[in-house]
């Protein structure tokens, strides 16, 4: 009889352990708000997003006389000359912004035209140049955000990883350095209802980054029409990238 009691006790100990494990598994998880690039890395939405780094260009001699040269090169049919013109634009934006600012609209128009170039090396170089303009000219680029966002998001739908990586860099610099209201409007108008799924996903990811950089409340309360449009954006892009909807629901 004593042996039977010992067997029953051992059986009770063995069967209790799985129950304890099951209870531990069923423990309610804490609420985590993570951006898509942070999933699996333990990063929450509150963690600051570091701006992307760019390759520095060398300064230009006599920059006050140099602006006409890159604009002329961008009009050339030879792709090598276009690439050189884009390099000069990057150098002027980085070291001689006072030369670029008076003609900024024409410079951006010329660069955006090359973003659409069918030769991938020229298109990628133009996309990188837009990243430099956003980084070095910052809020001075606000008036160019909507047109640039539309073109960049359209390029995000291409199959070339080379191009898509450049677009991601340019959009990230735009999010970091331009006014949140302009960026939000540019993203919503440029990619929210685009028929290409990759473009919509790029829009959703950029929205997440915008929330990370400036905060959910500031993005949605900056202008009267931002909040309802932002909420509609989270709903329509949640299946592409669920983080925007999660972030807006945390308000």
């Amino acid at each position: 009889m004593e042996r039977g009691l010992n067997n029953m006790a051992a059986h009770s100990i063995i069967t209790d352990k799985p129950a304890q494990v099951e209870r531990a598994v069923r423990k309610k998880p804490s609420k985590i708000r993570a951006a898509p690039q942070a999933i699996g890395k333990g990063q929450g939405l509150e963690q600051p997003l570091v701006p992307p780094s760019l390759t520095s260009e060398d300064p230009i001699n006599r920059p006050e006389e140099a602006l006409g040269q890159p604009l002329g090169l961008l009009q050339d049919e030879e792709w090598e000359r276009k690439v050189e013109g884009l390099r000069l634009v990057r150098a002027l934006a980085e070291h001689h912004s006072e030369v670029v600012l008076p003609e900024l609209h024409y410079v951006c128009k010329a660069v955006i035209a090359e973003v659409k170039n069918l030769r991938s090396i020229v298109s990628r170089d133009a996309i990188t140049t837009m990243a430099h303009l956003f980084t070095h000219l910052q809020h001075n680029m606000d008036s160019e955000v909507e047109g640039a966002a539309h073109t960049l998001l359209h390029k995000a739908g291409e199959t070339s990883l080379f191009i898509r990586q450049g677009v991601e860099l340019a959009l990230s610099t735009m999010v970091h350095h331009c006014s949140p209201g302009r960026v939000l409007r540019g993203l919503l108008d440029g990619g929210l209802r685009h028929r290409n799924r990759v473009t919509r996903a790029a829009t959703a990811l950029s929205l997440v980054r915008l929330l990370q950089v400036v905060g959910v409340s500031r993005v949605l309360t900056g202008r009267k029409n931002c909040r309802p449009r932002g909420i509609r954006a989270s709903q329509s892009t949640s299946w592409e990238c669920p983080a925007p909807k999660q972030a807006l629901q945390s308000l």
Side-chain angles (χ1 to χ4, degrees), residues 232-245:
R232 288 197 298 272
S234 72
Q235 294 170 343
S236 61
T237 60
S238 59
W239 67 279
E240 316 275 4
C241 179
K245 184 177 181 180

Side-chain angles (χ1 to χ4, degrees), residues 66-78 81-82 84-86 88-89 110 114:
L67 184 59
Q69 183 180 1
L71 294 178
L73 290 171
L74 290 177
Q75 298 298 321
D76 201 286
E77 294 298 325
E78 296 293 329
R81 292 176 65 80
K82 289 180 180 292
E84 175 62 14
L86 291 166
L88 291 174
V89 170
E114 298 307 325

Side-chain angles (χ1 to χ4, degrees), residues 133-180:
L133 291 171
F134 287 131
T135 299
H136 299 301
L137 304 184
Q138 300 191 3
H139 291 293
N140 291 299
M141 287 289 292
D142 283 354
S143 60
E144 309 298 330
V145 162
E146 292 183 55
H150 183 275
T151 302
L152 290 170
L153 288 168
H154 180 77
K155 294 293 288 187
E158 294 195 1
T159 57
S160 170
L161 180 62
F162 179 65
I163 295 295
R164 293 205 309 268
Q165 288 174 338
V167 170
E168 184 178 351
L169 172 69
L171 290 174
S172 184
T173 57
M174 181 183 75
V175 165
H176 274 90
H177 299 297
C178 296
S179 298

Side-chain angles (χ1 to χ4, degrees), residues 4-251:
L5 292 173
N6 290 337
N7 290 339
M8 291 176 62
H11 178 72
S12 175
I13 292 172
I14 292 172
T15 54
D16 284 343
K17 287 183 178 179
Q20 294 173 1
V21 173
E22 185 178 0
R23 283 194 295 271
V25 171
R26 290 181 178 179
K27 184 178 179 181
K28 186 177 180 180
S30 58
K31 186 176 181 181
I32 300 175
R33 295 173 290 173
Q37 67 270 35
I39 293 174
K41 298 181 181 180
Q43 299 177 359
L45 187 62
E46 295 85 355
Q47 183 168 341
L49 192 65
V50 179
S53 58
L54 300 173
T55 302
S56 181
E57 299 288 349
D58 294 328
I60 297 176
N61 295 326
R62 294 187 295 181
E64 63 281 357
E65 303 175 9
L67 184 59
Q69 183 180 1
L71 294 178
L73 290 171
L74 290 177
Q75 298 298 321
D76 201 286
E77 294 298 325
E78 296 293 329
W79 69 267
E80 294 94 341
R81 292 176 65 80
K82 289 180 180 292
V83 168
E84 175 62 14
L86 291 166
R87 185 193 68 79
L88 291 174
V89 170
R90 294 195 296 272
L92 287 170
E94 182 177 354
H95 301 289
H96 315 287
S97 60
E98 71 283 355
V99 175
V100 179
L101 290 177
E103 305 294 334
L104 181 58
H105 177 69
Y106 299 102
V107 172
C108 289
K109 186 176 179 180
V111 174
I112 289 173
E114 298 307 325
V115 170
K116 303 174 185 179
N117 196 298
L118 297 179
R119 185 179 286 271
S120 61
I121 191 170
V122 176
S123 178
R124 172 61 190 261
D125 218 43
I127 292 168
T128 302
T129 302
M130 290 304 304
H132 278 256
L133 291 171
F134 287 131
T135 299
H136 299 301
L137 304 184
Q138 300 191 3
H139 291 293
N140 291 299
M141 287 289 292
D142 283 354
S143 60
E144 309 298 330
V145 162
E146 292 183 55
H150 183 275
T151 302
L152 290 170
L153 288 168
H154 180 77
K155 294 293 288 187
E158 294 195 1
T159 57
S160 170
L161 180 62
F162 179 65
I163 295 295
R164 293 205 309 268
Q165 288 174 338
V167 170
E168 184 178 351
L169 172 69
L171 290 174
S172 184
T173 57
M174 181 183 75
V175 165
H176 274 90
H177 299 297
C178 296
S179 298
R182 293 292 186 100
V183 173
L184 179 61
R185 188 161 61 246
L187 292 173
L188 297 182
D189 292 342
L192 179 61
R193 300 189 181 280
H194 201 280
R195 57 187 176 184
N196 188 299
R197 180 179 178 182
V198 178
T199 294
R200 295 195 303 271
T203 303
L205 180 58
S206 295
L207 285 170
V208 171
R209 286 176 172 158
L210 182 61
L211 299 179
Q212 285 183 286
V213 171
V214 301
V216 178
S217 297
R218 183 179 172 190
V219 171
L220 296 182
T221 59
R223 291 179 178 271
K224 292 181 180 180
N225 64 339
C226 283
R227 184 181 181 91
R229 293 193 71 195
I231 293 173
R232 288 197 298 272
S234 72
Q235 294 170 343
S236 61
T237 60
S238 59
W239 67 279
E240 316 275 4
C241 179
K245 184 177 181 180
Q246 296 170 359
L248 292 172
Q249 288 176 341
S250 68
L251 285 174

